[in-house]
Amino acid sequence: MDFKQLEAFQKVVEKKSYSEAAKALYVSQPTISVRLQSLQDELEVILLKNNGRKVELTFAGSIFLDFVDDIMNRKEEALKTINKIKGLSINDLHISATSIGTYIIPPTSTAFQKAHPGVRLSLSFGNATSSINQLFEKKTDLVISPSSLENDKLSSEIIGHDMLVLVANVNHPLAAKNDAINLNELKEHRFIIREKGSNTRNHFKTWCETYNFHPREIVEMDQSEAIKIAVANNLGIAIMSKFIINNDSKSDQFKILNVKGMPIHRPIQVFMLADQKNNLLKQTFIHFLKKQLTD
């Protein structure tokens, strides 16, 4: 069974004539007859009968027609979707991301551009606040962030999960402790934290407020990579994404500390303007993001 047979059957039913169906499909009448005969032979049932000069459906033919109409409609939908995807080649897509996107977006972008070589991707990285502001200012199309944000003007979708952990260098004094570390002891050590506007910084602030914790020494840095290097060089301890640590080639130089209230779980989300949530290009890229994190 093929589409040409189904198309011939559908057209004969519509026109109630083999000759008229042949004209509509720009083929000869014998071609229509052969296609329909082969279809009936395959199904081992009579679909059409002649009633004078008109062709009518048999009972089996009327049942089969419903399925044929559905199949042909789905075919048209599929072709329209494929044509839209082909059209992605003339579009640009700008993506903004927080630090976690540094580890997610590059491999995703490579896979995406192999599938859609004509799409022009541009990437930028910043903290959660600045990235969302870019979205509202229409300077970017998508934002990848572990932020939790509710706004009627935004559409969001969870594409994965992450957790924040308190990390030290393996040679740090606290790294030898396997039991839960006392918060009074913890506050004596230097903390390296992200700048204001960072989602990680906001979680750290909430954690401090929840446990009435006040570190005595804080060093602020505006990049997760810089914080990771500082911890690796035993310059202090820091709350960091476990996703980032796991993707580091030297992850064995870090020790996750056993501390009350840790780890902190957070979703990784993609944000876009609400009126763009059905945009095919954006949804196609989101599909690639989900697949990347699943794999």
Side-chain angles (χ1 to χ4, degrees):
M1 187 185 304
D2 59 36
F3 285 120
K4 289 183 178 180
Q5 292 172 324
L6 300 182
E7 184 181 49
F9 171 69
Q10 194 179 47
K11 191 60 65 176
V12 168
V13 172
E14 177 189 337
K15 299 295 185 180
K16 300 184 184 301
S17 166
Y18 281 69
S19 59
E20 292 301 316
K23 290 177 184 178
L25 296 176
Y26 300 98
V27 296
S28 66
Q29 182 173 330
T31 299
I32 293 291
S33 298
V34 169
R35 290 176 182 175
L36 286 175
Q37 188 59 53
S38 62
L39 176 61
Q40 293 178 116
D41 289 345
E42 183 177 348
L43 295 174
E44 297 182 343
V45 69
I46 302 299
L47 300 173
L48 299 164
K49 62 182 179 181
N50 291 318
N51 186 6
R53 294 184 178 181
K54 291 186 178 181
V55 178
E56 295 182 351
L57 287 165
T58 63
F59 176 72
S62 64
I63 299 296
F64 187 61
L65 179 62
D66 290 336
F67 291 100
V68 172
D69 287 343
D70 185 55
I71 291 170
M72 299 305 285
N73 286 336
R74 294 292 290 170
K75 174 194 172 187
E76 288 302 314
E77 290 176 13
L79 291 175
K80 287 178 181 178
T81 300
I82 292 299
N83 287 332
K84 285 181 180 179
I85 291 174
K86 289 178 181 177
L88 296 182
S89 61
I90 61 173
N91 287 287
D92 294 331
L93 187 64
H94 185 88
I95 302 146
S96 298
T98 57
S99 57
I100 199 169
T102 307
Y103 302 88
I104 298 172
I105 293 180
T108 302
S109 299
T110 300
F112 186 80
Q113 293 209 280
K114 282 183 179 179
H116 307 287
V119 177
R120 294 179 289 269
L121 287 179
S122 56
L123 312 174
S124 63
F125 299 92
N127 63 40
T129 300
S130 64
S131 295
I132 293 296
N133 285 339
Q134 281 190 329
L135 194 59
F136 283 124
E137 294 167 3
K138 297 186 177 180
K139 294 180 179 178
T140 192
D141 298 303
L142 296 173
V143 170
I144 313 303
S145 172
S147 300
S148 294
L149 181 63
E150 293 186 6
N151 189 301
D152 291 342
K153 295 182 179 180
L154 291 178
S155 173
S156 63
E157 186 171 345
I158 296 175
I159 58 173
H161 293 85
D162 182 36
M163 62 178 68
L164 295 173
V165 291
L166 190 62
V167 182
N169 180 277
V170 290
N171 295 316
H172 190 280
L174 294 177
K177 295 180 176 290
N178 293 318
D179 295 332
I181 298 171
N182 186 283
L183 294 183
N184 288 325
E185 180 182 5
L186 190 65
K187 70 173 57 176
E188 301 298 326
H189 295 273
R190 181 187 298 115
F191 275 75
I192 307 170
I193 65 172
R194 285 289 304 272
E195 80 287 3
K196 291 181 179 180
S198 160
N199 177 261
T200 303
R201 168 71 169 258
N202 292 338
H203 278 293
F204 175 70
K205 180 181 178 182
T206 299
W207 179 78
C208 288
E209 292 171 350
T210 300
Y211 295 99
N212 194 28
F213 181 77
H214 305 285
R216 295 184 180 178
E217 185 179 359
I218 288 177
V219 176
E220 186 177 292
M221 296 184 180
D222 63 0
Q223 293 182 354
S224 291
E225 191 67 21
I227 292 177
K228 186 173 69 174
I229 293 172
V231 173
N233 284 278
N234 211 6
L235 299 180
I237 58 179
I239 289 182
M240 294 175 57
S241 163
K242 191 175 181 182
F243 190 94
I244 293 176
I245 296 171
N246 289 343
N247 280 273
D248 191 279
S249 60
K250 299 180 180 179
S251 58
D252 58 351
Q253 64 188 329
F254 300 104
K255 173 66 183 294
I256 296 175
L257 304 179
N258 185 356
V259 178
K260 188 176 183 179
M262 300 283 179
I264 299 170
H265 296 269
R266 60 180 185 173
I268 303 172
Q269 300 196 76
V270 57
F271 295 89
M272 70 186 81
L273 294 177
D275 60 3
Q276 293 291 307
K277 66 180 180 180
N278 294 321
N279 180 277
L280 180 63
L281 176 57
K282 295 179 177 64
Q283 289 299 331
T284 302
F285 189 79
I286 290 170
H287 171 77
F288 271 80
L289 284 173
K290 283 184 175 181
K291 188 175 187 303
Q292 182 69 34
L293 289 177
T294 300
D295 292 344

